Amino acid sequence: QVQLVESGGGTVQPGGSLRLSCVASGTFFRIYNMGWYRQAPGKSRELVARVHSDGSTNYEDSVQGRFTISGDNAKNTVHLQMNNLKPDDTAVYYCNAAVVEQEGVPGHFSAWGRGTQVTVSS
């Protein structure tokens, strides 16, 4: 089983920056991709950014050019650098990973962290 632990959330003023980190630990064979989702009050959970095993990335349109996702396969870690933060970025941010537990066993599952609060306010 895999556990994801997020860190780096907090409160910043508009235009400020935060760097989120997520570390995967436990027993697993491979993580195909890792990413960040967020959920604001009254809103559905949405993908913010994802990095795949081939190095390709995806970003939600509103964060393109402001957020950068990066991964360290050796440390099973993913980061999200968030610059020029806006009030609409306020949400709980969740780390996500697509995990295969054992080699040769088909299928994968989605692992989730507990979330870290990001608040952008004056």
Side-chain angles (χ1 to χ4, degrees):
Q1 196 67 30
V2 62
Q3 295 81 44
L4 305 179
V5 179
E6 305 102 330
S7 62
T11 301
V12 297
Q13 295 183 336
S17 297
L18 286 171
R19 182 175 174 86
L20 305 183
S21 298
C22 175
V23 180
S25 62
T27 302
F28 55 88
F29 171 66
R30 180 180 178 183
I31 295 177
Y32 284 110
N33 60 70
M34 297 185 72
W36 293 91
Y37 288 72
R38 67 186 180 187
Q39 187 166 19
K43 304 290 186 179
S44 60
R45 187 174 298 187
E46 66 176 358
L47 174 68
V48 179
R50 176 179 291 147
V51 59
H52 301 266
S53 59
D54 64 359
S56 62
T57 57
N58 300 101
Y59 293 95
E60 195 273 330
D61 288 343
S62 69
V63 309
Q64 182 71 45
R66 299 188 296 121
F67 293 7
T68 302
I69 189 168
S70 60
D72 186 337
N73 289 331
K75 297 181 178 180
N76 295 314
T77 301
V78 66
H79 305 282
L80 184 68
Q81 179 66 46
M82 305 185 294
N83 297 326
N84 192 24
L85 283 160
K86 305 177 183 298
D88 285 348
D89 295 320
T90 296
V92 177
Y93 284 69
Y94 297 91
C95 182
N96 170 260
V99 180
V100 174
E101 289 192 289
Q102 295 184 4
E103 183 180 12
V105 178
H108 64 275
F109 72 94
S110 291
W112 294 91
R114 294 184 180 274
T116 184
Q117 177 71 46
V118 171
T119 301
V120 185
S121 175
S122 298

